[in-house]
Amino acid sequence: MKSLIAVALSLVLAAPLQAGGPVVVVEEPPVVVEEGAASSKGLLPWLMVPLVLCIVMCGADDEAD
């Protein structure tokens, strides 16, 4: 009777040990965000200033007749 209990107990305790395997945790590398070229950042003001100056300086001449 003791041997039957010992076999049953060993089967019950051994089942969870064989249920899985090693747990491997893989860490993902950090995401690297690259910035755009620095030459395109200051382009808009260089285009807008001459345009505004041209509009102001070359505006329509309202001459009174």
Side-chain angles (χ1 to χ4, degrees):
M1 182 72 162
K2 288 184 180 182
S3 64
L4 180 63
I5 293 174
V7 170
L9 188 60
S10 66
L11 288 175
V12 169
L13 292 176
L17 295 177
Q18 297 175 357
V23 177
V24 179
V25 178
V26 178
E27 295 182 15
E28 295 181 12
V31 177
V32 177
V33 178
E34 296 181 13
E35 294 184 12
S39 63
S40 65
K41 289 184 180 178
L43 186 62
L44 187 61
W46 287 104
L47 293 175
M48 292 302 293
V49 169
L51 181 66
V52 170
L53 284 175
C54 182
I55 291 172
V56 170
M57 302 284 279
C58 303
D61 293 332
D62 292 334
E63 293 181 15
D65 286 331

